[in-house]
């Protein structure tokens, strides 16, 4: 209990709490303003909740979408806590449980009926435009949450479980589960809208991959600067506080031996190294390339203090 109380008093806790709340507020706005009015059903728990809410209403049992979302997520959250991990589970408990209340929040702040023009059935006036805007907005929300080891809950939990225990690629898991959920929309939507939902599910995966790659992108830099290896190594390891590797290389043309310095840097750190080399008039041969994913001993949060 003491450790929990200490964690609740840390800056990291409050920062991530704010980030999770902001990310879910964006996701809730996307669902409420672009998904619900046009009854688009993409591969998500929100989409499944819209179907179930409409089915119950047709059966004479009016149930709000927000209530269905909360119930389904509560069940999945128990599975996340037990099968995936405590940190992911705890964060997803919070994000998933506030989705329903945030839908209610947007409904009270500005009901989407006020934004739908007379004679139209959606905010954008065209289901395709609703689909495009929804996918872009919700992909931004997912990127924000995934970057701090959280998620929007629902389908993300199912994908994580399948990925962990069946070792399927997480993208394949999301796509298959999403397609199955989309097909449930035949109960309330015409064929055209169901196909739009399937396209949207696929587009959502592409957009999420793009945004995640942008957030996680790193630069692999290779430097050969004869006579300046030590000062460049010190700048990277002491000033930037990043690791680097030294390799002995032999020039294919000259036959001379040199040391090559390799390091993985953020975009800002890469710019700092390039400026350092330029400002100190160091003659160097440099190559750089993008790396979309980094695993293992990578320090995401550090104090850049020169020692």
């Amino acid at each position: 209990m003491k450790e929990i109380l200490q964690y609740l008093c840390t800056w990291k806790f409050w920062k991530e709490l704010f980030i999770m709340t902001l990310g879910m507020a964006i996701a809730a706005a996307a669902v409420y303003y672009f998904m619900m009015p046009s009854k688009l059903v993409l591969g998500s728990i929100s989409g499944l909740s819209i179907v179930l809410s409409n089915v119950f209403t047709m059966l004479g049992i009016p149930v709000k979408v927000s209530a269905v979302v909360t119930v389904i997520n509560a069940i999945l959250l128990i599975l996340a806590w037990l099968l995936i991990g405590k940190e992911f589970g705890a964060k997803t408990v919070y994000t998933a449980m506030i989705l329903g209340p945030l839908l209610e929040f947007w409904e009270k702040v500005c009901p989407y009926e006020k934004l739908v023009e007379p004679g139209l059935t959606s905010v954008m006036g065209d289901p395709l435009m609703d689909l495009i805007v929804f996918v872009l907005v919700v992909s931004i929300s997912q990127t924000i949450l995934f970057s701090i080891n959280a998620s929007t809950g629902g389908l993300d939990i199912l994908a994580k479980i399948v990925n962990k225990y069946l070792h399927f690629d997480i993208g394949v898991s999301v796509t298959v589960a999403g397609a199955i959920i989309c097909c449930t929309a035949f109960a309330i939507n015409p064929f055209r809208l169901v196909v739009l939902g399937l396209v949207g599910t696929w587009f959502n995966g592409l957009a999420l991959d793009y945004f995640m790659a942008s957030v996680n992108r790193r630069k692999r830099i290779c430097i050969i600067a004869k006579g300046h290896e030590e000062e460049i190594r010190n700048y990277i390891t002491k000033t930037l506080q990043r690791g680097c590797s030294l390799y002995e290389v032999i020039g294919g043309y000259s036959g001379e031996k040199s040391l090559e310095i390799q390091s993985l840097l953020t975009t800002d750190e890469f710019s700092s190294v390039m400026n350092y080399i330029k400002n100190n008039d160091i003659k160097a041969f440099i190559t750089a390339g993008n790396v979309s994913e980094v695993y293992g001993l990578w320090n995401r949060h550090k104090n850049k203090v020169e020692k």
Side-chain angles (χ1 to χ4, degrees), residues 9-278:
C9 296
T10 61
W11 164 246
K12 179 178 183 291
F13 169 77
W14 292 104
K15 181 181 73 172
E16 291 191 345
L17 184 70
F18 172 78
I19 292 173
M20 288 187 289
T21 305
L22 175 64
M24 288 308 298
I26 294 172
V31 172
Y32 182 74
Y33 291 110
F34 302 108
M35 197 175 186
M36 289 174 58
S38 58
K39 295 183 180 180
L40 282 171
V41 177
L42 276 72
S44 66
I45 296 304
S46 298
L48 179 61
S49 298
I50 292 174
V51 173
L52 293 177
S53 175
N54 278 271
V55 169
F56 281 125
T57 300
M58 287 188 290
L59 294 175
I61 310 172
V63 179
K64 285 190 173 182
V65 173
S66 57
V68 181
V69 167
T70 302
V71 171
I72 294 177
N73 274 322
I75 296 170
L76 290 172
L77 287 170
I78 296 173
L79 296 176
W81 184 272
L82 296 175
L83 301 177
I84 299 177
K86 291 183 179 179
E87 181 185 354
F88 178 83
K91 289 179 177 178
T92 305
V93 163
Y94 175 72
T95 56
M97 295 307 291
I98 65 171
L99 177 58
L102 283 171
L103 290 173
E104 296 276 0
F105 168 77
W106 288 117
E107 183 179 10
K108 293 185 182 299
V109 169
C110 181
Y112 66 72
E113 288 86 357
K114 292 184 178 180
L115 304 177
V116 177
E117 296 181 9
L120 300 179
T121 58
S122 66
V123 172
M124 301 300 294
D126 180 3
L128 180 59
M129 288 302 299
D130 282 307
L131 174 71
I132 293 172
V133 176
F134 170 79
V135 166
L136 290 176
V137 174
V138 84
S139 295
I140 292 171
S141 168
Q142 289 174 310
T143 302
I144 292 171
L145 293 170
F146 279 133
S147 68
I148 58 170
N149 193 31
S151 74
T152 58
L155 188 65
D156 294 340
I157 296 175
L158 293 176
K160 282 276 189 179
I161 292 173
V162 172
N163 173 258
K164 180 176 181 179
Y165 291 98
L166 299 181
H167 306 293
F168 288 175
D169 181 77
I170 194 165
V172 174
S173 303
V174 169
T175 301
V176 172
I180 293 172
I181 291 175
C182 281
C183 290
T184 65
F186 280 114
I188 62 170
N189 284 342
F191 179 79
R192 182 174 64 90
L193 287 181
V194 177
V195 172
L196 273 179
L198 289 168
V199 172
T201 300
W202 172 72
F203 183 36
N204 179 220
L206 294 179
L208 181 59
D209 283 343
Y210 173 78
F211 289 131
M212 286 298 296
S214 299
V215 169
N216 295 323
R217 184 173 293 127
R218 301 290 180 261
K219 287 283 188 179
R220 176 188 283 117
I221 185 172
C222 303
I223 306 169
I224 298 176
K226 205 159 188 180
H228 299 278
E229 295 89 352
E230 190 63 20
E231 59 182 290
I232 294 175
R233 183 181 71 84
N234 285 335
Y235 182 79
I236 293 173
T237 58
K238 295 181 180 180
T239 303
L240 298 182
Q241 298 180 29
R242 286 295 179 199
C244 65
S245 300
L246 305 179
Y247 298 93
E248 187 178 79
V249 295
I250 301 175
Y253 181 76
S254 65
E256 295 182 358
K257 290 185 178 180
S258 304
L259 278 180
E260 180 184 71
I261 303 171
Q262 284 193 24
S263 184
L264 286 177
L265 308 171
T266 64
T267 304
D268 289 341
E269 291 164 350
F270 171 71
S271 297
S272 296
V273 171
M274 296 301 292
N275 287 332
Y276 176 81
I277 292 172
K278 179 181 178 181

